[in-house]
Structures are given as C-alpha cells and as structure tokens.
Amino acid sequence: MLSVFTRNGSETPRPLKAKVTGAVPDWLQGTLVRNGPGLFTVGDTSYKHWFDGMALLHSFTFKDGDVYYRSKFLKSETFKKNTGANRIVVSEFGTMVLPDPCKSIFSRAFTYLSNAIPDFTDNNLVNIIRYGEDYYAASEVNYINHIDPHTLDTVGRINYRNHIALNLATAHPHYDEEGNTYNMGTAIMGFGRPKYMIFKVPAGASGKDKNQQPLSQVEEVCSIPFRSSLYPSYFHSFGMTENYIVFVEQAFKLDIVKLATAYFRGINWGSCLKYDKDDVTFFHLINRRTGKAVSTNFYGDPFVVFHHINAFEENNHVVFDLITYKDSHLYDMFYIENILQDSDKFIENNKIFSPPVCQRFVLPITVDKDTPEGTNLVSLEGTTAKAVTQKDGSVFCSPDTLFVGLELPQINYKFNTKKYRYFYGSRVEWSPHPNKIAKVDILTRTHKEWTEEECYPSEPVFVASPDAVEEDDGVILSSVVSLNPEKPPFMLILNAKTMEEIARAAVDAPIHMDLHGYFIPSKDSN
C-alpha cells in the first residue's frame, strides 16, 4: 500500500507547467525548493531505511498565477559512486555496505580500517540551507552540497571541516532578521575535547567574489562540553530567541565506540543511537552575543526530540516549544520493510508507537539562589509549564502540552524568536505517514485541518502575504502525493487563516514524498 513512499523517483529536469485549479494569489512569486529521499534501489541492491534513499530535489516556481515543477537528483559524490558502480557502494545511516567478498583479505582489511572512524556519505537528503546568498542541500554530516535553486543543478561539495572543527551539523539552522545564519554541530573525533558548537555565517558572507564560500567567514558563537565523552546527545534542531540559543541535551544518545567500530562489526550507524530512559534531559541557555551559558542547571524528564517549533522571551522567561516522544521507536518505523506493510498490519505492529507531543517549556532567565526549595519560578499566564527549584540549586522543568499528533512543524518565520500564536504541521495519527495538515492555535488550544482521501501532504510551508498585518495572513504550500495512480500529484495552496483550499496545481509527472524545504521569494516580490 505504502510503496508510493519507497518507489524510485525520476527526474523532470525542465520546467513543467502545472494545471492550476482555483486561483494562485498574484503576490505569490518565488520558488519552493524541497528535498528528500528519492532513489531506493541501484542495480540489484536496495537501501534498508527510508532515510537512506539518495536525495531528489524538487522545485515549484510560482510566477504570475502559474506554477512550474522540476526535479533533479542531487549529483553528490555518493550518487556518482553508486550509479557508476550500478550498486550501492556507500554506506548510509540505516544501510551498512560491506566490502565485496571477492576482494583480497588485504583489501578488505584496508577498507575496514578506513571506515573505522567514518567519513560519512554526502547524500544530503534532509533540507535546504541558506548560507550568505548561497543554497545547500544538507543532512547531518560534515558535507553539504551547493546547489542552484533555480535549475536544481549540483554546483559542488563543501566540507564543514575545512572551515570549522565539526564532524556533524544540523540541517535545521536559524536565520535572524539581518540574514545571518546560525547553526549547531558536534566535534567528536580529531578536534580536541568533544563538544557541541554553535556557529554563525554572516548575511553577506557570499561577497562579490562568486568563488568565495560563505563558510570561509564562519564564526564560532560558543561551545558546550559533552556531559559524557562516549555518549553525546543526538540533536536534529535547536531553539533560538532574540538573545539566547536553546540547546536540549537529550537522553537520546550516540554511542561513540559503537559508531567507530560499526563498519568493522557490520552494523549500521543508525543502530549506534540509543535512548537512555533512566537519564534526564538538560536544557542549556546560551547568550547569542557573549557565548556564555546561563549558570543555572535546568533539567527535566527524559524524552526524544527531533524538531523545535519556536522560542521567544517574555517577562524574563525563555519559552520554547518542541515536539517530543516517549521513546526512540520513530526511527525504527521508517525501515523499508516496515513501510511496505499493509496499513492494518502496520498499525498492529506499531501499537507501541509513541505519538509526537507538542510541548511548551518555560525557563526563568535569572534564578535567585535564596529562593526556597520547591518554588515554581514560572510566573507567566496561559501556561501550566513549571520550573521548580531543587535542593542543590538546580531547576526541574515540566512542560505544558499544546497538542498531540503533529510533526514537521512550521510557523510564519517572521515570528521566529518572537511570541507567536500559530503553528502548522503534518498531522500524525495512526502512523508516521501524514495524511492531514493541521493549524494549531496555541491561545485557544484548538486546531483546524485539511485532508483529502488517498492523499499524503508534505510538510506545510507558510508564506506571508506582502502586506500582512496578522500572524496568519498568508498561504500554506504543500506538495501532495496520492495512493491512487489515477490521481496526479499536486501543489496545494491553502488560506493560512482558514485552512481552506485556494488553488491546486496538478503535475503530470511523478512527485516523491520528501522531508523539508525552503521558499525563496522572487527578487521582484521582495
């Protein structure tokens, strides 16, 4: 049933005009570039996990009421090696490729040794990042691939390690109002003491010289030492307010020894992640301008988090919203063998699935050391989140639940780092496969939905109308694929206020389910 998610995608290299039903707003001018796995078999070999598929880039260009679609595979070194060999030869997080058994014992030994400390794949299938004026396909490894967002051509590969001492970096950066990009990475091996690192790429980093790489002007904001050198926290995103970075050091961890020996033992890198249900979660607040952490130790119960929603400051508190899970089963659900089960069997086998829960944490920025033990320091109205002082001076934080059953959260990004009211996302009820789009009103704790039978919408992207006054003045964009082969895929345009359909643009070409994207306004519409 769900083979629509795992079939090999194909390229539509030239712009293809879509058939529009309804009316695309005249002001909607620009290109939505999206990224996700799109090639799951090469020759006679297949990937074992959905997150391993080779990256397929899509774009939807909105111009004067028309919509144009195109797609191209990311021409990464991984793509070139695999297609050149007509089999999968580069390991991914869920698929470990072992040496050809026909090779000599010396050749196999050398391959084992060269992979003991992994030099990861550059199959950047997660998101699109802007550094300076350049755009990159990104995942969570030390490589990113520079792309042309208009042609979807792959310009060339960049190695973070040539510019900053990192082994891993997120695909979910933040952008401030000046256009600076903030991101976070991990230094594990070969860079001295293991640490997490926040870094900044200035807005004008691309410069007048087209050959100048934005990362050549990267600045380190701060570093945070690991609590455990052998078990650093996994992180997929982080929070940012006007003055602070919010880092959630969670109980979902990377086993460094297991990672370093994964290839030798023939296990995939994904299996090197472990959830420690007996640990706690630590919350770090770091001043964006000084790089210094708030001295109070904030912590809470263990959970797994992939996506932050938003964060802001209010009355000397930092408020941050994120999507949590009670365990780490979500990763396991995306193994291809699980995805290909029929829906009834899938539901039965995944009853233990922990639903995503949108939660709000509130941390007081300043804590008086003389505050009595057991005092709740949260004084904001409209939330049940608590931050309670402990005997040792630390603060235990418990969240306020905003909504259950939503992933891939998006906001009106003009409200990023600011107090906000609405967020949008993919509704997740019976499986990890989204079949609805939801808009959540934090103030009223109500939500609105869009759904259509046999349809699976991608992550919703908010685009504000040019003269927007209210936070939800704008549209929601989502590419939609269907289980019904008679139903063509389409770009859905919703009124972000009412969640009612304004238009759809049907595409006479295969479109693949993807992960994340980035909307680039036309220069004329800025």
Side-chain angles (χ1 to χ4, degrees):
M1 170 192 160
L2 294 171
S3 59
V4 66
F5 292 94
T6 59
R7 68 188 177 204
N8 280 347
S10 59
E11 294 186 319
T12 305
R14 291 188 174 86
L16 179 65
K17 190 174 181 180
K19 181 180 179 181
V20 174
T21 306
V24 178
D26 293 339
W27 56 262
L28 185 59
Q29 306 277 336
T31 299
L32 173 62
V33 184
R34 298 197 57 80
N35 195 357
L39 194 65
F40 299 93
T41 61
V42 184
D44 296 328
T45 57
S46 301
Y47 288 113
K48 295 181 179 179
H49 200 281
W50 193 70
F51 295 160
D52 294 343
M54 283 193 285
L56 180 59
L57 304 173
H58 311 256
S59 70
F60 297 86
T61 297
F62 302 87
K63 184 177 173 64
D64 302 329
D66 290 322
V67 181
Y68 300 87
Y69 173 77
R70 78 161 86 200
S71 64
K72 290 181 183 178
F73 286 107
L74 181 71
K75 303 308 189 296
S76 62
E77 291 303 310
T78 295
F79 181 89
K80 294 173 186 175
K81 288 177 183 177
N82 288 342
T83 54
N86 197 34
R87 65 185 180 91
I88 298 169
V89 295
V90 180
S91 295
E92 300 290 341
F93 278 91
T95 307
M96 182 59 73
V97 179
L98 299 177
D100 188 334
C102 297
K103 287 185 178 179
S104 71
I105 188 169
F106 298 105
S107 177
R108 290 205 303 273
F110 177 79
T111 308
Y112 281 138
L113 288 170
S114 65
N115 282 274
I117 305 298
D119 189 21
F120 291 112
T121 169
D122 68 338
N123 177 32
N124 302 129
L125 76 158
V126 176
N127 204 358
I128 305 297
I129 290 180
R130 176 178 57 76
Y131 285 130
E133 295 179 5
D134 295 344
Y135 295 88
Y136 299 84
S139 49
E140 297 184 332
V141 295
N142 57 291
Y143 295 115
I144 52 177
N145 271 283
H146 184 193
I147 65 166
D148 182 325
H150 304 294
T151 65
L152 299 186
D153 289 338
T154 305
V155 179
R157 186 172 79 169
I158 309 295
N159 190 344
Y160 276 115
R161 294 193 303 223
N162 291 337
H163 305 282
I164 189 168
L166 293 176
N167 300 98
L168 307 168
T170 87
H172 287 287
H174 282 282
Y175 310 96
D176 65 17
E177 292 179 338
E178 288 76 44
N180 303 306
T181 304
Y182 289 81
N183 207 349
M184 183 168 182
T186 308
I188 305 174
M189 304 161 184
F191 298 122
R193 187 179 178 186
K195 56 187 176 292
Y196 313 104
M197 192 183 300
I198 311 292
F199 60 93
K200 170 186 170 184
V201 178
S206 298
K208 294 179 181 178
D209 182 0
K210 290 296 180 185
N211 295 318
Q212 181 180 340
Q213 294 176 8
L215 281 173
S216 65
Q217 295 188 43
V218 67
E219 304 167 12
E220 180 180 334
V221 175
C222 75
S223 63
I224 306 164
F226 291 174
R227 278 196 295 135
S228 167
S229 296
L230 296 180
Y231 298 99
S233 168
Y234 171 78
F235 56 94
H236 186 75
S237 60
F238 61 100
M240 189 169 84
T241 72
E242 184 181 348
N243 295 294
Y244 294 93
I245 298 291
V246 180
F247 169 46
V248 177
E249 192 173 14
Q250 62 178 322
F252 191 35
K253 305 172 184 178
L254 187 60
D255 185 326
I256 295 298
V257 174
K258 202 172 180 182
L259 178 72
T261 60
Y263 193 89
F264 183 77
R265 293 188 292 147
I267 61 172
N268 65 45
W269 292 322
S271 67
C272 302
L273 291 167
K274 57 176 276 186
Y275 175 59
D276 185 354
K277 62 181 178 57
D278 298 318
D279 198 9
V280 295
T281 303
F282 277 82
F283 305 104
H284 300 271
L285 291 185
I286 302 103
N287 188 298
R288 272 171 59 185
R289 286 151 184 90
T290 66
K292 297 190 180 302
V294 171
S295 59
T296 305
N297 289 324
F298 298 104
Y299 73 102
D301 288 329
F303 56 75
V304 173
V305 56
F306 298 101
H307 296 117
H308 284 244
I309 304 171
N310 196 14
F312 59 92
E313 296 162 46
E314 184 178 15
N315 296 337
N316 207 34
H317 297 76
V318 165
V319 180
F320 60 96
D321 302 336
L322 37 76
I323 295 175
T324 68
Y325 294 84
K326 291 181 179 178
D327 53 49
S328 57
H329 290 305
L330 181 69
Y331 182 88
D332 296 333
M333 293 179 72
F334 280 94
Y335 277 99
I336 302 292
E337 63 180 4
N338 293 333
I339 292 176
L340 291 177
Q341 297 175 106
D342 64 62
S343 56
D344 291 339
K345 186 177 180 183
F346 188 95
I347 294 168
E348 180 64 30
N349 290 347
N350 289 283
K351 282 182 177 177
I352 58 170
F353 172 58
S354 164
V357 181
C358 306
Q359 295 190 313
R360 168 163 290 184
F361 287 86
V362 181
L363 276 54
I365 295 173
T366 54
V367 178
D368 188 335
K369 292 181 179 178
D370 296 327
T371 303
E373 178 186 351
T375 303
N376 177 23
L377 300 174
V378 177
S379 56
L380 298 182
E381 294 182 359
T383 183
T384 59
K386 295 180 180 179
V388 179
T389 53
Q390 305 297 299
K391 188 175 183 178
D392 62 358
S394 64
V395 176
F396 180 83
C397 305
S398 54
D400 177 7
T401 295
L402 302 178
F403 191 75
V404 177
L406 182 142
E407 252 293 3
L408 304 178
Q410 287 278 322
I411 61 170
N412 177 347
Y413 203 76
K414 292 179 180 178
F415 283 78
N416 191 53
T417 76
K418 300 178 176 67
K419 187 174 183 179
Y420 74 120
R421 177 171 175 176
Y422 306 107
F423 63 92
Y424 303 82
S426 299
R427 191 84 164 90
V428 180
E429 294 176 295
W430 57 270
S431 83
H433 310 296
N435 60 344
K436 298 176 182 177
I437 301 172
K439 172 190 181 181
V440 178
D441 184 331
I442 298 170
L443 183 63
T444 64
R445 302 297 171 100
T446 59
H447 76 286
K448 297 176 180 177
E449 291 180 345
W450 175 92
T451 186
E452 187 168 304
E453 199 170 332
E454 299 179 312
C455 287
Y456 288 90
S458 70
E459 164 198 63
V461 173
F462 183 97
V463 182
S465 56
D467 301 313
V469 176
E470 295 182 298
E471 181 184 338
D472 56 353
D473 282 347
V475 295
I476 290 294
L477 306 178
S478 176
S479 61
V480 181
V481 299
S482 177
L483 298 175
N484 184 346
E486 301 299 315
K487 194 167 192 171
F490 58 95
M491 167 54 59
L492 175 68
I493 305 173
L494 300 177
N495 180 323
K497 193 177 287 289
T498 65
M499 293 299 284
E500 293 172 347
E501 183 174 330
I502 297 172
R504 68 174 58 187
V507 177
D508 186 18
I511 293 182
H512 221 69
M513 198 69 184
D514 53 30
L515 287 168
H516 300 290
Y518 189 103
F519 182 79
I520 306 169
S522 295
K523 292 200 183 332
D524 301 341
S525 62
N526 287 345

